[in-house]
Amino acid sequence: MYKKSPFREFLIELYLIFHKCLFFFFKNIRLTNKIVFVSSFKENNIYIYKELKREHYDGEIVFLCKKNVYNAIRKSVTDPVYKIETGRIWDEVMAAYHLMTAKKIIVDNYYGFLAVAPIKKEVECIQIWHAAGAIKKFGLTDHATKTRSKRAKHRFLQVYGKFDKVVVNSDAFAKMFEAAFHLKESQFLPIGFPRTDFFFNESKIKEKASKFHKKYSMYQKKKIILYAPTFRPNHEDNVLNLDIPLLYEKLHDEYVLFIRMHPSVTMYEHVLTGYEDFAIDFSKKASINELLVVSDILITDYSSIPFEYVLLKKPMIFYPYDLANYEQNPGIWEPYEEMVPGPIAYNTVDIIDLIEKNQFNEEIYESFNKKWNAYTTGNSSQKFVQYLLRGDNPCERSKQEDTIHHSV
């Protein structure tokens, strides 16, 4: 569970005081026709950005990026990009200036400085999130939140209270956001996540797969197993919990194993020593979309990846080897066996057995997809930008149509 740290809380308070002073300095400057992206992840933001360019948006666009995504976004856009939360004072000053003078703010994660940001009423802050679904609990529902101080919980609510709208891809995910962020139904944009547009574009999928196979031609004759585990709250638990020698012995003739660790986790390469032609760490070598389109089977646990992988209609194996611990921290939204579209393995022997039997229930995948991707149709970027520029909210339009229908 989360360990309370008075010193950590003290550092957070200093961090907030610093940003509060910056915001105070700029808060009375007039707003301009400007969109500011606050980014921890690339895909959603870049899909929206490209759609804005296609729409010939004539306002200013600025990116405020966490360190992990700064270079990737800077290479993908032609507009200003600043680093945040890195100690670069000039960037922090410019970030505060742009936040206080933008008419639209788009965020994809929890950002503590929003707690003290005096966002004007005429400014709209939209949360686009960074995952297409959730198995593990987050926000106020995270079990670790119970042990946090009253001050910390109040800070969380201050941040969540800044979200005017939140993008969702299903009513099921909206219910989670209601509980996690204390939101209302009227705050949701039921348009799907922009990043999922990729999975409806056959030419883009083929292009990405072709480039990958050209670069890594040595794997073309093998089927690809992608193992993509999520982050564990306790750092020491973020290890590769697979019997690599056994997997090699049973599967190497037909398969290769690509490993994609969570961005916050670094895998020790020595665990793959001696099996380099079979088990390869692709955590830094390729994008997640590249790995999803070239893989033949996905193995994961509590990650949000299945909510996108199901769009490709390929087999998945769920590997919750530490389920009892994860149910305690951070917690699971529903009974795991009922939530995931199976099958489930609890050890490496189970995984091998499932792969060799190759029996996967497509009907379960279809049901899972209908539940979690109801608003995911391949044009989420377009719908988002239409709302951003013209206020076209599919949810409000649907209500108006229902009202007209019932009145006739």
Side-chain angles (χ1 to χ4, degrees), residues 219-279:
Y219 306 122
Q220 274 190 298
K221 295 182 180 179
K222 297 287 184 75
K223 293 180 182 177
I224 297 171
I225 303 166
L226 173 61
Y227 177 50
T230 194
F231 177 78
R232 267 71 180 164
N234 297 318
H235 180 72
E236 61 272 16
D237 294 334
N238 289 288
V239 295
L240 187 65
N241 201 304
L242 285 175
D243 188 336
I244 299 297
L246 183 60
L247 286 167
Y248 176 84
E249 177 188 344
K250 299 294 185 179
L251 301 175
H252 83 277
D253 286 339
E254 188 176 355
Y255 295 91
V256 289
L257 174 67
F258 289 178
I259 300 166
R260 166 83 177 197
M261 302 299 283
H262 188 276
S264 301
V265 177
T266 299
M267 188 178 71
Y268 296 107
E269 291 284 353
H270 71 269
V271 301
L272 305 180
T273 301
Y275 303 96
E276 293 87 351
D277 62 335
F278 168 73

Side-chain angles (χ1 to χ4, degrees), residues 4 7 61 67 157 165 175 186 217 271 293 296 317:
K4 299 177 183 178
F7 181 66
I61 298 175
K67 182 180 179 180
L157 286 171
K165 295 291 183 181
K175 290 294 182 184
S186 60
S217 58
V271 301
V293 299
D296 296 285
I317 294 173

Side-chain angles (χ1 to χ4, degrees), residues 76-270:
S76 303
V77 305
T78 56
D79 292 275
V81 183
Y82 298 94
K83 276 186 181 181
I84 58 173
E85 300 183 352
T86 61
R88 290 170 55 163
I89 301 300
W90 176 248
D91 279 40
E92 298 293 350
V93 170
M94 292 304 296
Y97 165 74
H98 287 299
L99 280 169
M100 290 297 97
T101 55
K103 289 185 178 180
K104 304 286 184 181
I105 299 172
I106 300 171
V107 300
D108 66 0
N109 209 339
Y110 172 92
Y111 296 98
F113 57 75
L114 289 176
V116 294
I119 297 176
K120 301 178 180 71
K121 289 183 179 180
E122 56 267 48
V123 175
E124 187 171 36
C125 181
I126 306 173
Q127 172 63 263
I128 60 173
W129 207 231
H130 52 271
I135 293 173
K136 58 185 176 182
K137 291 191 173 183
F138 60 93
L140 296 172
T141 62
D142 186 328
H143 290 177
T145 302
K146 298 175 183 177
T147 66
R148 299 297 296 263
S149 66
K150 288 184 179 180
R151 179 176 292 183
K153 293 175 184 177
H154 178 66
R155 186 169 64 246
F156 297 159
L157 286 171
Q158 285 181 307
V159 173
Y160 304 151
K162 296 297 194 301
F163 305 154
D164 295 298
K165 295 291 183 181
V166 177
V167 172
V168 293
N169 58 343
S170 66
D171 293 336
F173 203 15
K175 290 294 182 184
M176 291 180 174
F177 277 119
E178 283 185 32
F181 292 164
H182 284 191
L183 301 177
K184 300 176 182 178
E185 183 182 353
S186 60
Q187 292 178 263
F188 296 116
L189 289 176
I191 59 177
F193 297 99
R195 60 185 285 167
T196 59
D197 290 352
F198 167 78
F199 299 104
F200 292 83
N201 192 324
E202 288 296 329
S203 63
K204 287 288 185 182
I205 289 175
K206 290 178 180 178
E207 178 185 340
K208 195 167 284 290
S210 177
K211 286 183 178 179
F212 181 91
H213 287 306
K214 186 176 181 180
K215 185 175 182 179
Y216 299 102
S217 58
M218 67 286 287
Y219 306 122
Q220 274 190 298
K221 295 182 180 179
K222 297 287 184 75
K223 293 180 182 177
I224 297 171
I225 303 166
L226 173 61
Y227 177 50
T230 194
F231 177 78
R232 267 71 180 164
N234 297 318
H235 180 72
E236 61 272 16
D237 294 334
N238 289 288
V239 295
L240 187 65
N241 201 304
L242 285 175
D243 188 336
I244 299 297
L246 183 60
L247 286 167
Y248 176 84
E249 177 188 344
K250 299 294 185 179
L251 301 175
H252 83 277
D253 286 339
E254 188 176 355
Y255 295 91
V256 289
L257 174 67
F258 289 178
I259 300 166
R260 166 83 177 197
M261 302 299 283
H262 188 276
S264 301
V265 177
T266 299
M267 188 178 71
Y268 296 107
E269 291 284 353
H270 71 269

Side-chain angles (χ1 to χ4, degrees), residues 256-401:
V256 289
L257 174 67
F258 289 178
I259 300 166
R260 166 83 177 197
M261 302 299 283
H262 188 276
S264 301
V265 177
T266 299
M267 188 178 71
Y268 296 107
E269 291 284 353
H270 71 269
V271 301
L272 305 180
T273 301
Y275 303 96
E276 293 87 351
D277 62 335
F278 168 73
I280 306 96
D281 181 10
F282 265 96
S283 302
K284 309 294 183 184
K285 296 178 181 178
S287 70
I288 185 61
N289 278 355
E290 286 178 305
L291 297 176
L292 294 182
V293 299
V294 301
S295 62
D296 296 285
I297 300 173
L298 170 69
I299 302 174
T300 189
D301 42 29
Y302 321 102
S303 169
S304 63
I305 290 177
F307 297 90
E308 296 180 15
Y309 198 73
V310 72
L311 295 169
L312 295 172
K313 301 178 181 179
K314 293 192 286 189
M316 292 182 276
I317 294 173
F318 292 84
Y319 181 40
Y321 59 85
D322 56 351
L323 181 57
N325 290 335
Y326 218 83
E327 286 175 330
Q328 295 299 313
N329 183 29
I332 304 294
W333 283 99
E334 301 172 12
Y336 189 82
E337 296 81 1
E338 297 175 16
M339 192 171 188
V340 301
I344 298 173
Y346 292 99
N347 52 55
T348 302
V349 173
D350 290 345
I351 290 173
I352 293 169
D353 184 56
L354 289 169
I355 291 174
E356 290 181 335
K357 287 181 178 178
N358 192 31
Q359 296 176 346
F360 299 94
N361 191 329
E362 292 183 8
E363 290 183 4
I364 294 178
Y365 294 150
E366 289 177 9
S367 177
F368 182 82
N369 189 40
K370 287 179 181 178
K371 177 179 180 180
W372 295 101
N373 288 312
Y375 305 123
T376 303
T377 56
N379 58 352
S380 297
S381 302
Q382 183 183 28
K383 288 180 179 179
F384 183 88
V385 170
Q386 286 174 351
Y387 171 78
L388 197 65
L389 302 184
R390 293 181 280 276
D392 186 9
N393 187 345
C395 185
E396 294 301 322
R397 186 173 63 248
S398 177
K399 289 180 180 178
Q400 291 172 4
E401 290 172 353

Side-chain angles (χ1 to χ4, degrees), residues 39-47 49-50 63-83 108 260 284 286-288:
S39 311
S40 294
F41 301 84
K42 176 185 175 183
E43 284 80 8
N44 272 332
N45 295 290
I46 295 303
Y47 267 84
Y49 176 79
K50 289 181 177 179
F63 284 86
L64 311 179
C65 299
K66 299 270 281 190
K67 182 180 179 180
N68 63 295
V69 77
Y70 173 79
N71 287 331
I73 287 183
R74 190 167 58 87
K75 293 175 182 177
S76 303
V77 305
T78 56
D79 292 275
V81 183
Y82 298 94
K83 276 186 181 181
D108 66 0
R260 166 83 177 197
K284 309 294 183 184
S287 70
I288 185 61

